[in-house]
Amino acid sequence: VFVPFRHAIEVLRDRLRKDGFAVEAIHGGVSVTRRTEIFQAFQTEPEPRILLIQPAAASHGVTLHAANTVIWWGPVTSNEIWHQANARVHRAGQKNPCLVVRLCGCAVERKLYDALDAKTEDMDTLLSLYKEELDT
């Protein structure tokens, strides 16, 4: 699960653990050594089965073919991070069909996902989405 904001990662992690799920979190405050341990366990062990990841902390150089589902808790504003993060499950060794799920809380988020899918990386596009929402 890619979660753009660290606080949201912590809230989700606590909730999922309370509900009995084996979950780990990766964000900018997690050391490289600990990240490596978490990714290795995810790839080779039965648990954890859920990773909550701040996209910028793991969008490059990580293989996650033990997963076949990517869930976006919210959109990011970087086309590169969006495409690189989604590619973490589409790696050599992947044996399953992959699914990318985009959770939307409003029309602006939906339009931002659409812009990311279209590889639109233009601050004017992002600003126009927010302006359009404010003007309605």
Side-chain angles (χ1 to χ4, degrees):
V1 179
F2 285 110
V3 184
F5 301 105
R6 185 170 171 174
H7 178 73
I9 289 173
E10 293 168 0
V11 170
L12 287 169
R13 182 198 58 218
D14 293 348
R15 181 69 223 190
L16 289 167
R17 284 183 177 165
K18 183 178 177 184
D19 289 343
F21 291 97
V23 60
E24 291 291 343
I26 305 283
H27 52 70
V30 177
S31 71
V32 172
T33 301
R34 182 67 183 131
R35 288 180 203 193
T36 302
E37 292 169 355
I38 292 168
F39 288 134
Q40 180 66 23
F42 183 81
Q43 288 291 102
T44 62
E45 304 294 327
E47 293 186 344
R49 288 301 4 127
I50 301 171
L51 297 180
L52 302 171
I53 303 173
Q54 191 172 30
S59 60
H60 287 87
V62 176
T63 297
L64 295 174
H65 60 66
N68 67 336
T69 303
V70 173
I71 299 171
W72 285 88
W73 192 258
V76 291
T77 56
S78 167
N79 192 309
E80 178 188 3
I81 288 174
W82 166 258
H83 290 280
Q84 286 294 321
N86 285 330
R88 299 309 91 209
V89 300
H90 297 282
R91 306 289 280 183
Q94 178 58 267
K95 295 178 175 90
N96 301 301
C98 297
L99 174 67
V100 176
V101 177
R102 308 175 307 174
L103 301 178
C104 299
C106 65
V108 169
E109 288 183 349
R110 190 172 302 106
K111 289 176 184 176
L112 187 50
Y113 282 128
D114 290 343
L116 289 165
D117 284 340
K119 296 185 178 183
T120 303
E121 187 154 16
D122 173 88
M123 263 324 218
D124 290 335
T125 300
L126 177 62
L127 292 173
S128 70
L129 290 174
Y130 284 104
K131 183 177 182 326
E132 180 181 316
E133 185 66 18
L134 291 172
D135 290 343
T136 58

